[in-house]
Amino acid sequence: MRLVVIIATLGRKEQLARLLEHLERQERLPDEVIVSAPDEEHVEVSASHRFPISMVFGRRGLCAQRNHALNCALERFDVVTFFDDDFIPQDNYLQLLEEAFQEHQNWAVVMGHVVKDGAQSAGLSWAEALQVLATERTQARLEPKVVDHVGAYGCNMSIRARLVGDLRFDERLALYGWQEDIDFTSQLRRVGRVVGLNTLRGIHLGLKIGRVSGERFGYSQVANPIYLIRKGTVPASFALPLMGRNIAANLVRSIWPEPYVDRRGRLRGNLIALGHVLKGRVEPEYIQNMAVSEAR
């Protein structure tokens, strides 16, 4: 099988360089890595790697950047793996992934297990992540466990390329995206299983640089789930509880917010979006026109 890794990046060129270096430790090297960025100012790539690296530049936004890379990859590869630029895979990740796709022809999408997710905290350092992964490797071999999902978590997800067809990430989910991964992969359930596999391990650093402002993100926390329910790609039973939990967390924690999360900005964004939804206005791309300062 030919396997490509796609990394969409923005404002994290040092992290990107570290990740590309780390991927050289994979027991099964990628056949190519495609880096997608708005322009060359966002990338810093060494000339020498154990696998080919290509770069594509275009419009800013996670969905647009992933689509640009996807268009370059689909005809040439059997498996397309998306890694966030702050996701660090275990060294056997791609080897086990290839074996999984070979053994299970009815699997359309596979996501790995995030051992530790810095997105739920102040974030993790590279050294902390490597220490966790090193500890993981010394433990007993895991028995594979497969769980079906509505959609995949985009920090590490892989797709069987021949099943994608004309499907692309929805670019109305502007900038950071928010639930663009669930939207995209949930549509592939009609042609195969969308599964999580516990033996594919990695750490999500959850870096805070390169993110949109709290207000914009808060708007997306409401507008995007409602939009996807209306679109018909994500069930209300999944999207509404997710939206409710986020609004509740922003409301409660805005009283005493974490130093690394702009809770009050997120809450303002939630309220703006709720006002729009009540008026029948469901426009996830509105965040591009919001006059807010960039924050956490």
Side-chain angles (χ1 to χ4, degrees), residues 105-238:
Q105 293 297 315
N106 64 330
W107 288 6
V109 180
V110 178
M111 68 173 173
H113 175 70
V114 178
V115 178
K116 203 166 184 178
D117 192 352
Q120 308 302 320
S121 66
L124 302 170
S125 71
W126 188 271
E128 288 173 322
L130 292 183
Q131 184 176 12
V132 173
L133 289 178
T135 302
E136 283 263 313
R137 288 304 298 265
T138 62
Q139 295 175 352
R141 183 179 176 86
L142 287 169
E143 288 298 319
K145 181 179 180 182
V146 179
V147 178
D148 286 272
H149 288 271
V150 170
Y153 185 16
C155 76
N156 77 116
M157 62 182 185
S158 301
I159 295 104
R160 196 180 296 275
R162 64 177 173 79
L163 300 179
V164 175
D166 296 329
L167 181 63
R168 295 296 183 271
F169 292 91
D170 190 338
E171 295 185 25
R172 289 192 65 185
L173 304 175
L175 301 181
Y176 185 58
W178 184 242
Q179 299 305 300
E180 90 299 331
D181 45 7
I182 301 295
D183 172 52
F184 181 86
T185 55
S186 67
Q187 295 179 74
L188 289 166
R189 285 188 298 157
R190 64 177 181 267
V191 292
R193 291 175 66 186
V194 176
V195 303
L197 185 57
N198 68 322
T199 53
L200 306 180
R201 318 283 279 184
I203 307 292
H204 186 212
L205 298 182
L207 299 181
K208 304 304 184 267
I209 59 172
R211 298 264 181 130
V212 298
S213 72
E215 203 164 306
R216 285 193 174 103
F217 187 60
Y219 190 92
S220 296
Q221 286 180 317
V222 172
N224 290 14
I226 297 296
Y227 168 73
L228 296 177
I229 291 171
R230 292 181 57 169
K231 182 179 173 182
T233 56
V234 177
S237 59
F238 174 88

Side-chain angles (χ1 to χ4, degrees), residues 4-277:
V4 62
V5 171
I6 291 177
I7 304 169
T9 190
L10 175 77
R12 297 176 178 174
K13 60 183 181 182
E14 292 181 1
Q15 172 62 28
L16 172 65
R18 274 185 163 183
L19 175 57
L20 291 173
E21 182 180 352
H22 180 77
L23 288 178
E24 296 199 22
R25 297 169 47 171
Q26 286 293 306
E27 296 169 8
R28 192 270 192 229
L29 292 172
D31 294 296
E32 185 175 332
V33 173
I34 301 177
V35 175
S36 183
D39 54 60
E40 60 188 12
E41 294 296 318
H42 295 269
V43 299
E44 185 176 290
V45 178
S46 168
S48 59
H49 281 284
R50 296 176 60 203
F51 42 78
I53 299 175
S54 58
M55 292 177 283
V56 294
F57 303 123
R59 292 191 301 109
R60 174 180 174 176
L62 183 57
C63 292
Q65 289 173 226
R66 281 180 167 169
N67 283 340
H68 196 174
L70 198 57
N71 290 337
C72 299
L74 282 180
E75 298 299 321
R76 299 187 293 122
F77 297 95
D78 302 299
V79 174
V80 177
T81 294
F82 291 95
F83 284 154
D84 278 4
D85 56 14
D86 60 346
F87 178 79
I88 306 176
Q90 186 62 278
D91 295 347
N92 60 359
Y93 189 107
L94 295 181
Q95 178 65 47
L96 295 177
L97 175 69
E98 181 178 47
E99 292 172 2
F101 270 117
Q102 288 174 333
E103 293 171 12
H104 303 277
Q105 293 297 315
N106 64 330
W107 288 6
V109 180
V110 178
M111 68 173 173
H113 175 70
V114 178
V115 178
K116 203 166 184 178
D117 192 352
Q120 308 302 320
S121 66
L124 302 170
S125 71
W126 188 271
E128 288 173 322
L130 292 183
Q131 184 176 12
V132 173
L133 289 178
T135 302
E136 283 263 313
R137 288 304 298 265
T138 62
Q139 295 175 352
R141 183 179 176 86
L142 287 169
E143 288 298 319
K145 181 179 180 182
V146 179
V147 178
D148 286 272
H149 288 271
V150 170
Y153 185 16
C155 76
N156 77 116
M157 62 182 185
S158 301
I159 295 104
R160 196 180 296 275
R162 64 177 173 79
L163 300 179
V164 175
D166 296 329
L167 181 63
R168 295 296 183 271
F169 292 91
D170 190 338
E171 295 185 25
R172 289 192 65 185
L173 304 175
L175 301 181
Y176 185 58
W178 184 242
Q179 299 305 300
E180 90 299 331
D181 45 7
I182 301 295
D183 172 52
F184 181 86
T185 55
S186 67
Q187 295 179 74
L188 289 166
R189 285 188 298 157
R190 64 177 181 267
V191 292
R193 291 175 66 186
V194 176
V195 303
L197 185 57
N198 68 322
T199 53
L200 306 180
R201 318 283 279 184
I203 307 292
H204 186 212
L205 298 182
L207 299 181
K208 304 304 184 267
I209 59 172
R211 298 264 181 130
V212 298
S213 72
E215 203 164 306
R216 285 193 174 103
F217 187 60
Y219 190 92
S220 296
Q221 286 180 317
V222 172
N224 290 14
I226 297 296
Y227 168 73
L228 296 177
I229 291 171
R230 292 181 57 169
K231 182 179 173 182
T233 56
V234 177
S237 59
F238 174 88
L240 291 181
L242 173 68
M243 184 180 74
R245 288 193 300 270
N246 285 321
I247 294 173
N250 294 335
L251 180 62
V252 171
R253 295 177 183 174
S254 65
I255 301 169
W256 195 263
E258 309 96 318
Y260 51 87
V261 179
D262 182 14
R263 289 290 179 186
R264 291 166 186 167
R266 290 186 184 187
L267 183 59
R268 287 194 300 272
N270 292 163
L271 295 175
I272 294 169
L274 285 170
H276 284 184
V277 170

